[in-house]
Amino acid sequence: MKLWGGRFKTEESKLMEDFNSSLKFDKVMYFEDIQGSIAHVKMLYKSNILTKDESDTLIKGLNEILQEIEFGKLKIQGDYEDIHSFVEINLVKKVGDVGKKLHTARSRNDQVAVDMRMYTKRNALEIVDSIQHLQDVIKDKADKNNYIMPGYTHLQRAQIVTFKYHLMAYYNMFERDKKRMLNSLSLMNESPLGCCALAGTTYDIDREYTCDLLDFDKPIDNYLDGVSDRDYIIEIISNMSIAMMHLSRLSEEIILFSSKEFEFIKISDAYSTGSSIMPQKKNPDAAELIRGKTGRVYGSLMSILTTMKGLPLAYNKDMQEDKEVFFDSIKTTLSCLNVMSNMIDTVTVNKENMMKAVKHGFLNATEVADYLVNHGMAFRDSHKVVGEIVLYCEEKSIAIEDMSIDEFKKFSDLFDESIYEFIDYDNILKKGIKKEIAE
Ligand code: ARG
């Protein structure tokens, strides 16, 4: 089941064969491998390297293999070195000796490079779609829950925001993730097919033609670079790592905000699990798993960066190690995006508890200071005065707006009745640049 062997005297050991084989994981690229081969055959015919009959037979055979794989008639398994060997050997079995002409003017080095680029484009676009779906869900949940909540710094209550505004911060993060992915795709959209092993071929092939057929922008300039560039894989895993970091931060807040300590939101039963011992427990496992799997995607990024760092030009077998981490990262990121969308969609929001937290958190203290500034006091002085007010309220267990006007005046005679309206939570969000938060 090999594409080589002429120069060898003894058989490859079984141990080495298993160690070397990538079929178990590169079989996911069967579609791209067959499409790449069909484009290559069309080009060989156009360049007068194959006859019309030969090209028709090969294309028909390749399409049949594709159908048989998709309908489960042909299982991708056995002692093949990789998906490329699998397709080629099965083609020869099917169409006979003409199948042996498929690999004219091609190496597995440019073949695997073009397959991986096609696979990357298809999957990165699926990730973009999944991010877009998550954004739609976030926007919808945000619009329906435009309630005041505490905003935090240092995880201490800081100033008021709205649940909608808070959630929309994630919408913006995911917007960047989407753009990053599309940017990377436009950078890598060049075809390595025709670079051959490392130094091109003596055949007069037409790289522009395969490039067009496979929907790339242009053929890669340098052959050595074409067969050994894995930057785009590093870049896409890096993009996925950043998106996972955003998913993980969101997960962390879902875990926190759904705890009894906060109770701002409730995760639906459908995305929670129970405890085998504590009957009362409802655990946020979905969010915890997303947070956990983030580490796994980061690990893949470190793995591929390290694999590539010392490689001389051009192809080295080390590069086969790009696949498992890449495929796993794509699968992991897609499933996390999907679970997150469903979890957010089914979350319920507790307006009252968020308001309680706002009242207990002195979240209008900055505005009290602003009020004094508006009435002539320097901000640094008003900051001190309001600090003293907070201390007083804390000792009495009241909110600032619960103080009487006489109590206010004890701290500064600049206060009058208008303070109550000025520090009313709804009114705060109507002032100045904050208007954007209330929208
Ligand atoms: N399975 C190999 C990989 O993923 C395909 C390329 C093999 N090329 C070679 N010269 N042995 O990298």
Side-chain angles (χ1 to χ4, degrees):
M1 302 291 203
K2 281 192 179 49
L3 299 177
W4 45 267
R7 61 101 61 227
F8 289 81
K9 283 191 185 152
T10 51
E11 286 280 294
E12 187 185 20
S13 82
K14 180 82 180 96
L15 185 63
M16 174 55 192
E17 216 171 81
D18 290 346
F19 187 60
N20 194 30
S21 174
S22 52
L23 187 69
K24 280 192 299 306
F25 46 87
D26 65 16
K27 64 181 181 186
V28 298
M29 300 194 302
Y30 72 86
F31 180 81
E32 284 74 19
D33 194 68
I34 293 174
Q35 294 309 315
S37 286
I38 291 176
H40 181 65
V41 170
K42 286 184 178 168
M43 183 280 293
L44 290 178
Y45 166 59
K46 184 169 181 280
S47 309
N48 298 316
I49 298 166
L50 291 180
T51 66
K52 172 102 176 70
D53 274 359
E54 287 169 336
S55 144
D56 287 349
T57 310
L58 291 175
I59 292 171
K60 187 163 168 286
L62 285 164
N63 275 322
E64 280 174 22
I65 290 177
L66 181 59
Q67 294 266 311
E68 285 167 21
I69 293 173
E70 293 202 323
F71 289 111
K73 258 179 75 189
L74 180 61
K75 299 246 178 299
I76 309 181
Q77 59 194 25
D79 294 338
Y80 299 92
E81 197 175 316
D82 47 35
I83 186 64
H84 325 295
S85 317
F86 177 86
V87 172
E88 190 176 327
I89 292 167
N90 278 282
L91 182 67
V92 175
K93 278 191 206 156
K94 184 180 271 300
V95 303
D97 276 354
V98 61
K100 295 181 186 167
K101 297 195 173 189
L102 170 68
H103 211 54
T104 315
R106 189 176 68 169
S107 156
R108 272 183 301 166
N109 297 350
D110 58 339
Q111 187 178 358
V112 74
V114 80
D115 290 2
M116 276 294 268
R117 279 180 192 250
M118 286 194 277
Y119 184 87
T120 302
K121 287 203 279 179
R122 177 161 66 88
N123 283 280
L125 287 175
E126 208 181 316
I127 289 179
V128 167
D129 285 348
S130 298
I131 294 177
Q132 182 60 61
H133 177 65
L134 175 58
Q135 286 181 291
D136 294 343
V137 171
I138 286 177
K139 173 103 178 52
D140 187 58
K141 189 58 60 177
D143 284 340
K144 289 184 177 140
N145 293 282
N146 194 10
Y147 308 131
I148 289 176
M149 76 174 271
Y152 295 84
T153 62
H154 311 267
L155 202 56
Q156 305 291 321
R157 292 170 197 163
Q159 288 186 293
I160 58 170
V161 291
T162 63
F163 184 78
K164 173 179 175 178
Y165 201 70
H166 189 103
L167 211 49
M168 287 306 282
Y170 287 98
Y171 182 97
N172 282 18
M173 296 177 215
F174 291 123
E175 183 66 21
R176 289 195 295 277
D177 293 335
K178 221 170 54 188
K179 287 186 182 153
R180 243 188 298 274
M181 208 53 115
L182 293 170
N183 275 343
S184 301
L185 283 177
S186 72
L187 198 63
M188 60 77 75
N189 198 21
E190 298 183 355
S191 170
L193 195 56
C195 294
C196 296
L198 74 163
T201 172
T202 51
Y203 289 101
D204 207 0
I205 59 170
D206 187 344
R207 297 185 63 213
E208 294 280 350
Y209 185 56
T210 45
C211 170
D212 282 350
L213 289 176
L214 298 174
D215 215 17
F216 287 99
D217 292 339
K218 65 185 270 292
I220 288 177
D221 287 335
N222 184 293
Y223 301 152
L224 297 170
D225 186 35
V227 290
S228 66
D229 169 27
R230 299 292 181 272
D231 294 3
Y232 63 97
I233 294 178
I234 295 172
E235 214 174 304
I236 303 279
I237 302 186
S238 161
N239 296 344
M240 290 192 281
S241 297
I242 297 174
M244 286 299 299
M245 178 266 289
H246 293 148
L247 286 171
S248 185
R249 292 182 73 179
L250 181 52
S251 296
E252 169 63 20
E253 293 204 327
I254 290 173
I255 294 163
L256 216 53
F257 291 167
S258 66
S259 68
K260 276 276 174 258
E261 283 65 18
F262 279 82
E263 275 199 301
F264 289 175
I265 57 170
K266 219 184 218 112
I267 304 174
S268 102
D269 284 359
Y271 291 92
S272 313
T273 55
S275 155
S276 60
I277 173 169
M278 298 164 282
Q280 87 284 9
K281 287 298 286 290
K282 184 175 144 181
N283 294 328
D285 286 29
E288 288 171 297
L289 275 170
I290 295 172
R291 194 176 56 184
K293 285 175 192 291
T294 303
R296 177 164 160 173
V297 177
Y298 291 2
S300 295
L301 178 60
M302 259 324 116
S303 162
I304 179 68
L305 277 169
T306 312
T307 298
M308 293 303 295
K309 74 179 269 293
L311 298 188
L313 292 178
Y315 178 82
N316 300 271
K317 197 59 177 262
D318 315 44
M319 289 175 181
Q320 180 166 287
E321 288 297 310
D322 63 359
K323 297 195 178 51
E324 282 163 292
V325 288
F326 190 44
F327 301 157
D328 183 74
S329 301
I330 290 170
K331 212 171 123 207
T332 304
T333 307
L334 280 173
S335 70
C336 289
L337 284 165
N338 187 20
V339 170
M340 182 58 90
S341 294
N342 284 289
M343 185 163 51
I344 296 279
D345 197 29
T346 50
V347 121
T348 49
V349 182
N350 191 325
K351 180 182 173 184
E352 288 72 32
N353 282 350
M354 292 194 299
M355 197 58 196
K356 250 186 247 163
V358 164
K359 292 207 75 165
H360 291 154
F362 305 109
L363 293 190
N364 46 9
T366 311
E367 284 69 29
V368 180
D370 289 347
Y371 176 93
L372 290 173
V373 170
N374 290 342
H375 287 74
M377 193 182 286
F379 183 77
R380 202 40 69 214
D381 293 331
S382 72
H383 185 284
K384 182 165 182 289
V385 171
V386 181
E388 286 159 3
I389 292 179
V390 167
L391 193 63
Y392 173 82
C393 290
E394 221 165 35
E395 276 160 12
K396 290 192 72 181
S397 290
I398 56 170
I400 300 179
E401 63 273 23
D402 295 337
M403 293 201 309
S404 68
I405 191 65
D406 290 339
E407 284 173 299
F408 269 112
K409 281 185 185 298
K410 266 193 240 152
F411 291 96
S412 166
D413 50 18
L414 294 175
F415 284 118
D416 63 40
E417 287 287 341
S418 64
I419 181 65
Y420 295 107
E421 206 191 308
F422 193 85
I423 61 171
D424 172 80
Y425 299 108
D426 286 312
N427 287 343
I428 287 173
L429 291 185
K430 288 183 190 135
K431 287 196 191 78
I433 193 95
K434 279 178 185 283
K435 282 197 284 271
E436 285 176 26
I437 298 180
E439 270 164 19

